[in-house]
Amino acid sequence: MSKNTEGEVFKFIDQEITRQSEGLELIPSENYVSKNVLRAMGSVLTNKYSEGYPGKRYYGGNQNVDEIEQIAIDRAKKLFKADHANVQPHSGANANEAVYFAWCQPGDTILAMSLPAGGHLTHGSPVTRSAKIYNFVGYGVTEDGDIDYEDMERLAKKHQPKIILVGYSAFMKVPDFERVRAIRDNLKNPESCILMADMAHVAGLIAGGVHENPLEHGFHVMTTTTHKTLRGPRGGLIMSMGTVSNPLHKVDHTIDNLPTLIDRAVFPGTQGGPLEHVIAAKAVAFGEALEPSFHTYAKNIVKNARALADDLKAHNFVLQGDGTENHLILIDVKRSCGIDGKFYEYALDEIGLTLNANSLPTDKGAAFRPSGVRLGTPAMTTRGLGETEMQQIADAMRAVADLCVAAKKACLAPDDLESLKESLDASAPQLKKLRAEIKALAEKFPLPATGAC
C-alpha cells in the first residue's frame, strides 16, 4: 500500500514531524533517535519470527537475525560492564516483570521506592499486574529529595525482601548504591535477596560515564529502557552479573545463575517472539553510545539540567530537592505559583514546550491534578541547545506561569480545568507571541532525523 492510498495515517505522521520540529521536548523520558536508528527500525527485520536466542531458535532462517542480536548483546555488555545482557524485552515494564518472575515466587516481597516518592508504576503501583502477584513495600524520600535510607533499612529488616529495587521516574539525586548494598548484606539471609537497579532514566548518563553504575557497586541486575537518555528505540534491556549458560537448560535458583534465570523469564516466561527490527535499532544505538562523542553528550545533558534548574530558581520556581544531580527537574508549581501541574502543562503546550504534570511526595491522591511538573534536558541536548537556550526556556516558562496565575484569578471556577483553559484564552495574544519565539528557537536546532514518509 502506497502513501497515497494510506494518506490518513501519513498525514498525521507528517503533522507529528512538524510538531516535533517547531516545538521543544522537555519530557525527560523522551529523546530523538539518529537516522541510522530509524533506518534499522524500519527495516525488513520486522518480517522475521525468531523465538528463542541466537543459535537456539524455534524457527529457521535466522542466520542474519542471530548475528544482529549478538551484536546488540555484546555492545550492551561492554557499555554497562555486565556479564550478560538480554536485549529482547519489548519495554522497561516487560524488563522489570521478567526480573521479578525470574527471582520471586507469587507473594514474595519486593522493596522499592513508592510512587508518590518518585518511583515508577512497575515498582508496585496497585493498578499494575505485578502488584497483584508480588508484595511490594515502598520506601520514601527525605525532605531534601534524597532516598530515605533509614526508612529503606528499617523496612528491609522488617520485611526481609527478595528484591531491593533502586529505581525511579522522578528523582533528582544519584543513589548511594554502596549504602543499599550494605542494607542488603545485613539481612538475615542476604543470598535470598538480589539488588536490582531500574536505571531507565539515567542509563545514557551511566553509558556516558557521568553517573555511577550500580553493577560496579555489587548490584546483581540492572534494567533500563533503551530510549530516554540512551537515545535508542523504544524498548527494554536487562543486564545481569553471574554465570551465563544455555537459556534452554534448567538451572538452580541461585544468584550466580541469574543470567540464565532471566533469559528463561523473558522467553518463554513472559514474552514470545522478539522484535528484531527494534533489536537492530538497539544495536545501532549501543554502538553510538560507545563512541567518545556520547560522553560529551551525557556531560552536556547534566550541564544543561543544572543550568536550567538555576535559571528556574532565579525565576522563583520551587524545585523538589532544590535542583538536580542528573537530567531531571521537578517543579512544585503549586508552591511556586498557586496553580496545579496539569493546568501549567496545558499552558506550556500551547507555546510549544512539552512536559508532563507530575505528583510530588507531598501530594495526596492528586494523580490527575498534581502539584508539580517534570522536565529534563536529554532531547534538547540532542538537538544542540546549550546553557544560553536554557535561560530562554526558563524565561518563557516564567512568562507562561504569570499568564496562568492571571487566568486563575479571573476564572469563575478556578478548580475546574476546562474553565481555567477558557480563562487562559484571554491571553491568546501573549501566548501567540511566546509560541512564535519558541518556534524560532526550535527551528535553529533541527531534528537529527525525521524518517519523513
Side-chain angles (χ1 to χ4, degrees):
M1 185 177 288
S2 69
K3 176 180 176 180
N4 290 334
T5 58
E6 193 47 276
E8 188 176 4
V9 170
F10 287 101
K11 175 185 75 173
F12 290 108
I13 293 176
D14 289 340
Q15 287 180 14
E16 177 61 14
I17 292 171
T18 300
R19 187 196 70 81
Q20 291 187 22
S21 300
E22 295 181 352
L24 293 175
E25 189 57 71
L26 306 183
I27 295 175
S29 53
E30 295 194 11
N31 214 326
Y32 304 104
V33 300
S34 70
K35 191 174 294 185
N36 283 337
V37 169
L38 274 184
R39 181 184 172 204
M41 212 166 5
S43 69
V44 295
L45 292 171
T46 194
N47 300 334
K48 192 71 193 87
Y49 227 124
S50 51
E51 285 185 349
Y53 291 98
K56 305 172 187 69
R57 305 287 188 182
Y58 287 82
Y59 291 81
N62 279 292
Q63 56 269 34
N64 297 312
V65 159
D66 281 358
E67 295 292 338
I68 292 169
E69 185 166 334
Q70 193 60 54
I71 290 171
I73 290 168
D74 292 342
R75 288 178 177 176
K77 287 163 57 180
K78 184 176 181 181
L79 201 54
F80 295 103
K81 301 177 176 62
D83 290 338
H84 184 55
N86 189 304
V87 299
Q88 292 192 6
H90 301 331
S91 67
N94 289 45
N96 287 343
E97 284 207 35
V99 176
Y100 305 155
F101 186 70
W103 189 247
C104 296
Q105 296 297 317
D108 280 350
T109 296
I110 299 172
L111 180 59
M113 183 181 285
S114 69
L115 187 64
H120 190 259
L121 282 170
T122 59
H123 302 165
S125 172
V127 300
T128 64
R129 176 175 56 187
S130 55
K132 301 183 191 320
I133 301 172
Y134 310 105
N135 174 41
F136 282 86
V137 175
Y139 57 83
V141 293
T142 60
E143 286 186 7
D144 67 354
D146 205 354
I147 291 173
D148 190 334
Y149 294 100
E150 292 182 4
D151 187 36
M152 178 191 284
E153 184 170 14
R154 178 183 63 81
L155 292 169
K157 287 180 178 178
K158 178 180 179 181
H159 296 280
Q160 299 294 312
K162 291 296 180 69
I163 297 177
I164 297 179
L165 170 56
V166 175
Y168 36 81
S169 63
F171 180 70
M172 286 64 65
K173 306 287 186 180
V174 176
D176 187 341
F177 296 118
E178 291 286 345
R179 187 166 181 182
V180 179
R181 175 65 191 245
I183 290 171
R184 178 261 183 188
D185 288 348
N186 285 322
L187 294 176
K188 291 177 183 176
N189 182 15
E191 289 303 303
S192 71
C193 175
I194 63 169
L195 291 173
M196 174 182 174
D198 179 353
M199 296 288 100
H201 266 276
V202 296
L205 304 185
I206 294 170
V210 298
H211 189 289
E212 294 290 319
N213 182 347
L215 296 179
E216 295 184 294
H217 292 277
F219 273 61
H220 306 100
V221 182
M222 174 177 150
T223 61
T224 181
T225 52
T226 48
H227 42 290
K228 299 186 176 77
T229 51
L230 199 48
R231 208 160 59 176
R234 294 191 170 273
L237 172 66
I238 307 171
M239 279 75 62
S240 53
M241 308 302 287
T243 302
V244 181
S245 61
N246 190 329
L248 304 182
H249 291 169
K250 187 175 182 179
V251 296
D252 293 333
H253 190 269
T254 63
I255 288 178
D256 194 50
N257 285 325
L258 263 176
T260 305
L261 295 173
I262 287 168
D263 277 353
R264 290 177 60 82
V266 174
F267 175 83
T270 56
Q271 289 187 179
L275 309 177
E276 292 295 344
H277 57 303
V278 178
I279 290 172
K282 291 176 185 179
V284 173
F286 300 158
E288 293 172 351
L290 286 165
E291 294 293 328
S293 60
F294 196 85
H295 168 71
T296 303
Y297 166 66
K299 189 167 64 174
N300 286 339
I301 289 175
V302 176
K303 185 194 296 186
N304 280 342
R306 290 177 178 172
L308 180 56
D310 288 343
D311 293 336
L312 290 168
K313 287 196 293 182
H315 279 303
N316 298 316
F317 283 103
V318 178
L319 309 185
Q320 173 73 7
D322 196 40
T324 185
E325 295 178 0
N326 52 33
H327 66 298
L328 192 150
I329 299 167
L330 195 59
I331 304 176
D332 187 337
V333 287
K334 183 72 76 176
R335 285 176 60 195
S336 303
C337 317
I339 58 176
D340 69 84
K342 201 64 183 176
F343 180 39
Y344 192 41
E345 173 196 295
Y346 167 81
L348 287 169
D349 205 34
E350 289 292 284
I351 70 162
L353 293 178
T354 307
L355 46 62
N356 65 280
N358 206 94
S359 296
L360 298 168
T362 53
D363 279 342
K364 304 296 181 185
F368 295 103
R369 297 289 295 278
S371 299
V373 293
R374 187 184 69 149
L375 64 155
T377 53
M380 290 186 292
T381 306
T382 292
R383 287 175 73 167
L385 280 75
E387 292 174 275
T388 299
E389 289 74 36
M390 297 305 107
Q391 176 68 65
Q392 292 176 256
I393 289 167
D395 292 346
M397 290 180 67
R398 181 71 256 179
V400 171
D402 291 342
L403 293 175
C404 287
V405 171
K408 184 176 180 180
K409 285 181 180 178
C411 186
L412 297 177
D415 292 328
D416 179 66
L417 182 58
E418 294 306 314
S419 297
L420 285 170
K421 291 177 182 179
E422 291 177 9
S423 182
L424 187 65
D425 287 345
S427 303
Q430 296 100 309
L431 289 172
K432 187 176 181 180
K433 180 175 180 294
L434 288 166
R435 178 72 186 93
E437 291 173 0
I438 293 299
K439 180 182 176 183
L441 176 60
E443 289 179 338
K444 290 180 183 178
F445 301 92
L447 302 183
T450 63
C453 302

